[in-house]
Amino acid sequence: MKAISIKQPWASLIAHGIKDIENRTWSCPKKYLGQRVLIHAAKTSVKDGWSALTEMQLEKVFPHKNKLYGDNEDLPHGAIIGSVVIADCVQNHPSVWAEKGVWNWVLKDAVLFDKPIRDVKGKLGFWEHDSE
């Protein structure tokens, strides 16, 4: 199954169904639209961790804070933590998670795995993971 590596805390927010947009400088290939892909939490985090979130994004996260793992250091890294369907690929989406001037991948139907698949090395772009 195809996978994509995403830095924390974005990966966990996506797998929990909180973050509905993934921002990339490149458009999602059309063949992946409507497809479920695995969410791999990269070994590195966003530089500022939770501080990288805007006030509006924090408002979206706050009701779910007990579901999340705590501090950025406590989030899983180097693991496949869930999956999501890539529903669309647009620019200037109205979501609080959408960045301007880049491609906004619209995500839906997030699934958080009960147990992460640990010790998985990520890659750039889409990559194949042999999940059984």
Side-chain angles (χ1 to χ4, degrees):
M1 185 173 200
K2 291 294 182 193
I4 188 138
S5 296
I6 300 173
K7 292 182 178 183
Q8 290 287 27
W10 307 136
S12 285
L13 291 172
I14 289 169
H16 279 84
I18 300 167
K19 185 174 185 274
D20 62 351
I21 297 289
E22 170 60 9
N23 297 293
R24 296 283 167 143
T25 57
W26 45 283
S27 176
C28 180
K30 289 184 181 187
K31 66 183 176 181
Y32 296 121
L33 295 181
Q35 299 297 310
R36 182 164 292 279
V37 297
L38 297 170
I39 300 299
H40 174 263
K43 289 191 178 185
T44 59
S45 295
V46 173
K47 182 180 175 184
D48 297 329
W50 290 111
S51 299
L53 277 69
T54 67
E55 189 173 323
M56 288 180 13
Q57 291 169 341
L58 286 170
E59 288 176 13
K60 297 281 187 188
V61 172
F62 186 76
H64 307 280
K65 68 179 182 170
N66 293 335
K67 291 184 194 175
L68 297 169
Y69 305 93
D71 292 333
N72 200 46
E73 299 81 34
D74 298 327
L75 297 172
H77 290 82
I80 294 176
I81 61 170
S83 67
V84 71
V85 172
I86 302 173
D88 203 357
C89 185
V90 299
Q91 291 184 305
N92 302 315
H93 193 278
S95 170
V96 300
W97 302 103
E99 294 176 10
K100 303 298 179 209
V102 297
W103 289 97
N104 312 134
W105 299 5
V106 181
L107 310 174
K108 69 176 188 175
D109 300 332
V111 173
L112 177 68
F113 293 169
D114 291 332
K115 293 182 181 180
I117 303 168
R118 300 205 177 268
D119 300 319
V120 178
K121 185 176 180 180
K123 299 176 184 170
L124 295 175
F126 286 99
W127 48 278
E128 194 69 36
H129 181 267
D130 184 23
S131 55
E132 296 178 13

